[in-house]
Each structure stands twice: as structure tokens, then as C-alpha cells.
Amino acid sequence: AISKGEDVLTYTEYSEKYADKKDATKQVVIKGDSFVSSTGKVEKASKYEGKKGVVKFIDEESTVTYKVVIPEDAKYTVLVNYIALDGRNNAINMGLTIDGKAPFDGLQELEFPRLWQDAGDVRVDGVGNEFSPSQEEVFVYNDHYVQDTLGLESFPYTFYLTKGVHTLTFTSVAEPIAIATITVGKPV
């Protein structure tokens, strides 16, 4: 589990600290299976649901760590291309640390939504009342920015990173997930 230290900033404090730093103009794309270390039960999949180089987080508390070479001192967003794996139908939660720590509070349980669709037509009872159709999960790849789970921030989180090598560690908190790519790139 990702613990938060007593000196961890709020996201507002963190973003104010780096407000004068420029936004990234370049991006780095990391393949899911290119991690340098892992703990727990993770599997590399050469191909999964049409995507190559995927990592599957099978158990909660599993981690994968990536090395990423950042091209310039700047503020970056993190975009994850993922697919939900069969689980308990709850939200998928992941934690993120950069260079071994969470730079601000809120990275302990990031939510990655499951995708749903109608499983049929609107139902109508004997007196004409309409009811929403039941829902079924759709297992397709989705892009999701690392962002505030509570919805207090309108935009994805931005991270100030210096030029050079950094580590990103993702921890599975709840529900299984497969990650195809992670893009460290320009803020939106």
C-alpha cells in the first residue's frame, strides 16, 4: 500500500509550488510490459485483446515500476491506456508514486472506471411504465488521465519532472486491470 507521509502536500499546494514552470512540449510513451521491476502477481502479455506489450495486474497490492527518460524540465500529465479485467464489478483503483514517493495527496487510490452499455432495450411493464435496460460491462481499451478521484480538480493532475531518468510505480489497490501504454506528456 502507498502510505502518505506527514509532509505530503495537497494537490493545490503542489500545483502552486510549480505554477511558474513550463508545460511539457514533448511526450514519452511507455509500453505496459516494459517495466523494470514488479511485485505480486503481474503477467506480461505479448498480445491481449488486440494490443501488444500489455501488463496484467492479477492481484491487489501488485506493483510495477517503469523507468522513464524525461526529455525536458516541465509539467507533465500521465495518461493510461487500460482495459478492465474480469473482477467484482467495482471501480478499479491504482496508486502511483514517482521516484518512490507520492508528490502530493490523492495518488493513493486513483480510480479507473469500468465501461458499461445497455444490455437490451428499454423494458415496459403491463401499464406502460418504462424501465432502463440492464447493464453489461464492456471490455475495451480506454484512455484515462491520472486525475482527482473526488472531482475537485477540473483537469488531470500535472507533475513537475526534471530532465533525466525517473521512476513511475503503479500499485493495484482494488480490482484487476491490464495496461497497454502510459503516456507522460503535455498537459491538456
Side-chain angles (χ1 to χ4, degrees):
I2 297 171
S3 61
K4 78 176 182 181
E6 292 182 27
D7 60 343
V8 174
L9 302 173
T10 67
Y11 180 67
T12 300
E13 293 167 335
Y14 179 84
S15 61
E16 287 172 357
K17 181 177 177 180
Y18 296 105
D20 63 334
K21 302 299 183 184
K22 71 175 187 162
D23 289 345
T25 59
K26 300 173 184 174
Q27 68 179 25
V28 178
V29 178
I30 307 162
K31 294 193 69 57
D33 69 350
S34 67
F35 55 90
V36 295
S37 66
S38 66
T39 64
K41 189 170 182 185
V42 296
E43 295 175 2
K44 287 185 178 187
S46 58
K47 190 170 184 184
Y48 183 73
E49 296 293 328
K51 297 254 184 168
K52 295 180 179 178
V54 173
V55 62
K56 294 164 68 175
F57 288 79
I58 306 301
D59 288 337
E60 295 170 0
E61 301 300 322
S62 298
T63 67
V64 295
T65 298
Y66 300 93
K67 280 194 177 179
V68 57
V69 179
I70 298 300
E72 60 185 336
D73 293 0
K75 293 186 286 191
Y76 294 84
T77 56
V78 177
L79 178 67
V80 180
N81 180 255
Y82 74 97
I83 187 170
L85 300 178
D86 196 27
R88 299 181 305 267
N89 295 334
N90 295 321
I92 301 162
N93 292 110
M94 301 285 289
L96 172 63
T97 59
I98 298 175
D99 297 328
K101 64 180 184 167
F104 52 85
D105 193 21
L107 297 175
Q108 298 84 5
E109 284 197 30
L110 301 164
E111 189 170 305
F112 292 80
R114 291 181 174 276
L115 303 177
W116 303 88
Q117 70 181 7
D118 293 343
D121 296 324
V122 172
R123 298 169 289 153
V124 180
D125 67 12
V127 293
N129 295 314
E130 293 183 352
F131 297 92
S132 298
S134 59
Q135 299 289 293
E136 65 185 6
E137 189 167 6
V138 182
F139 296 97
V140 295
Y141 282 93
N142 187 34
D143 285 328
H144 188 73
Y145 282 99
V146 170
Q147 62 190 28
D148 176 26
T149 300
L150 300 175
L152 300 174
E153 297 293 330
S154 301
F155 296 99
Y157 286 143
T158 58
F159 302 89
Y160 178 71
L161 298 171
T162 55
K163 181 179 180 177
V165 178
H166 293 271
T167 61
L168 301 179
T169 301
F170 285 87
T171 301
S172 176
V173 177
E175 293 289 320
I177 186 175
I179 295 176
T181 59
I182 300 158
T183 302
V184 180
K186 307 173 194 176
V188 292

